[in-house]
Amino acid sequence: MGIAEEKAVLRYADEHKEELFDLLSRLIKINTENHRTHCNEAEGQEYIRKWCEGRGFEYEMYCPDSVSGIKNHPEYLAGRGTDKRPNITCTYKKGKGVMLAAHMDTVLIGDTDLWSVDPLGGIIKDGKLFGRGAGDDKCGIAVSMFAFQALQDLGIQIDKPLAFTSYVDEEDGGGDGALAACLKYPAETYVNLDGGNYEIWTAGLGGCVYMLKISLEYPTDNAEKVFDGLYIVKEGLKEFAAARRRELHENPLYRGTDMEGSAFRFIGMQTGKGHVGAGSGELSFVIYTDKEQKEVESQLNAALEKIRRVLEKKDLHLADFTRTSRFFNYAPSKDTYGAIAELHRAAEQVSGKKVRQTGACLSDLSVFLAAGSESSFNFGIFRDFSVYGGAHQADEYVECEQLVWEAKALLLFIVRHCRASGRS
């Protein structure tokens, strides 16, 4: 009976793939750019709510801040407007089993002149489905909805409880949406469908986004000295940056991955705005690490102290660093229930290719591991941040073939891992 179900879900995915593409396209058309303190996730969640009602799935919409005890939890991050930004959790079978999860918010669209397609168009061209959030992370929502649809249409019964959560505020260092899902819906395993390259990510990466500010000690109408000072800061962080790349190179889960190369990267630098503020400037950077916060920030402070002494000779003041995201804590996954091995087997079977198990980039996997279950991991198909069409880039896209692979792998995983008792 189990083999028949496996063949049925694979056939269903092939026969109904246009419906999968349509689900993702419709989600992309809803603008859910994350502005840190606010976002339009509610419209996207409302689309899922109507879909649930149309199919008879039980669901609950809830804002993270309404979840009991969340504001006292060490993973909670204040100031994200999560009293008005709802999660939605849909249940296929109630209980503490498997939760599929993906985030509704996206990064900003950015300069539309850099896009060759409508960033909210959700169009398919040359076997690619384009749009902001296509890979990061609305494809995770689409394949979860499609999986529920397939199970329902095929009448497949499962024994292990199964739920799906579309959560809010992942981008820009959020995490409260994922935290709320963990606290409100405890699970054995969280499959966070926020991964890349058709890989399985089995460690929540540590890291943070930092901002540094410098200022001249006297008024000026010329930003030249501040520009020069920002360059001094940039050069002064080279050894700190090298240490971040070195430590990930030494970690087998990260050696040779995209994350090793991106373990330190600058994401912004500016001084003044028009004729205002020529005497001050700021610089932002992201770090990835498998070290503890205290150790990393001690190294950062040591580097900044050296930089500060150089800047003082040029009448420039360097303020203490500011975190503009949570500090994500590194944690490896544990395959307590065999879920990682099961999804890995399914992913390889579907694609006919070897599938890597590596560590994650900065994602809410660290939240799921800390507040949910040590048996949590990421799986997904977004393209790397540094390539054309990658996550956070203009012309973001997913390969339609890989989207079908992802759906098939997820369906095989469910019918095997959550199969009804007594089936074989």
Side-chain angles (χ1 to χ4, degrees), residues 82-104:
T82 45
D83 58 332
K84 299 181 179 69
R85 302 167 66 176
N87 283 1
I88 183 166
T89 296
C90 318
T91 52
Y92 191 83
K93 182 179 176 63
K94 287 185 176 180
K96 185 178 179 180
V98 173
M99 177 181 285
L100 313 178
H103 63 87
M104 177 63 75

Side-chain angles (χ1 to χ4, degrees), residues 276-306:
V276 179
S280 63
E282 60 187 42
L283 178 152
S284 297
F285 58 93
V286 178
I287 66 161
Y288 292 166
T289 182
D290 60 3
K291 300 296 185 286
E292 293 186 359
Q293 179 177 358
K294 184 176 180 180
E295 178 181 351
V296 170
E297 293 188 348
S298 176
Q299 292 177 22
L300 178 56
N301 277 323
L304 295 181
E305 195 53 42
K306 291 180 181 178

Side-chain angles (χ1 to χ4, degrees), residues 76-326:
Y76 179 74
L77 186 64
R80 307 291 296 196
T82 45
D83 58 332
K84 299 181 179 69
R85 302 167 66 176
N87 283 1
I88 183 166
T89 296
C90 318
T91 52
Y92 191 83
K93 182 179 176 63
K94 287 185 176 180
K96 185 178 179 180
V98 173
M99 177 181 285
L100 313 178
H103 63 87
M104 177 63 75
D105 61 309
T106 73
V107 295
L108 302 182
I109 289 169
D111 185 352
T112 55
D113 289 341
L114 298 177
W115 289 74
S116 67
V117 296
D118 179 357
L120 298 176
I123 68 163
I124 295 176
K125 183 173 68 171
D126 300 325
K128 304 175 178 69
L129 205 162
F130 289 84
R132 176 56 81 221
D136 188 17
D137 177 31
K138 292 182 176 180
C139 64
I141 297 174
V143 296
S144 298
M145 295 170 70
F146 185 74
F148 271 42
Q149 171 184 316
L151 295 173
Q152 184 186 59
D153 287 352
L154 294 170
I156 292 177
Q157 301 297 313
I158 58 174
D159 182 51
K160 189 180 286 290
L162 178 67
F164 157 61
T165 295
S166 171
Y167 60 94
V168 301
D169 196 34
E170 188 273 345
E171 299 293 359
D172 212 357
D176 293 341
L179 177 59
C182 292
L183 297 181
K184 196 169 184 66
Y185 288 91
E188 288 181 352
T189 299
Y190 295 86
V191 184
N192 189 31
L193 294 160
D194 184 23
N197 307 319
Y198 198 69
E199 296 170 341
I200 295 174
W201 291 352
T202 61
L205 186 58
C208 193
V209 184
Y210 293 97
M211 178 183 289
L212 298 173
K213 293 186 177 182
I214 67 171
S215 57
L216 265 175
E217 295 178 356
Y218 50 80
T220 184
D221 61 356
N222 186 342
E224 182 178 5
K225 282 196 171 185
V226 175
F227 277 129
D228 291 343
L230 290 172
Y231 182 78
I232 290 169
V233 175
K234 172 185 172 295
E235 291 297 294
L237 289 171
K238 278 187 172 179
E239 180 49 41
F240 177 78
R244 306 288 73 77
R245 298 187 183 103
R246 191 162 53 244
E247 65 199 19
L248 290 197
H249 180 75
E250 293 169 357
N251 185 324
L253 285 172
Y254 287 97
R255 186 180 301 122
T257 67
D258 296 329
M259 279 65 80
E260 179 188 342
S262 299
F264 180 99
R265 65 184 191 275
F266 292 103
I267 58 172
M269 182 184 293
Q270 73 170 41
T271 180
K273 294 182 180 179
H275 295 284
V276 179
S280 63
E282 60 187 42
L283 178 152
S284 297
F285 58 93
V286 178
I287 66 161
Y288 292 166
T289 182
D290 60 3
K291 300 296 185 286
E292 293 186 359
Q293 179 177 358
K294 184 176 180 180
E295 178 181 351
V296 170
E297 293 188 348
S298 176
Q299 292 177 22
L300 178 56
N301 277 323
L304 295 181
E305 195 53 42
K306 291 180 181 178
I307 296 168
R308 193 170 280 118
R309 289 196 291 269
V310 177
L311 292 177
E312 286 174 352
K313 296 176 182 178
K314 300 179 179 296
D315 299 325
L316 286 163
H317 171 72
L318 172 63
D320 292 338
F321 67 76
T322 301
R323 299 182 204 94
T324 61
S325 76
R326 69 175 65 246

Side-chain angles (χ1 to χ4, degrees), residues 5-45:
E5 289 177 343
E6 292 175 16
K7 289 181 177 178
V9 295
L10 294 177
R11 186 168 57 250
Y12 185 97
D14 283 329
E15 293 175 351
H16 295 263
K17 62 184 179 182
E18 296 300 328
E19 295 172 37
L20 171 61
F21 301 156
D22 184 63
L23 277 172
L24 179 52
S25 179
R26 289 175 181 271
L27 289 165
I28 288 170
K29 292 176 190 294
I30 303 169
N31 187 331
T32 54
E33 295 172 285
N34 189 336
H35 297 273
R36 191 178 298 178
T37 59
H38 61 281
C39 181
N40 185 41
E41 293 119 333
E43 185 178 344
Q45 312 294 39

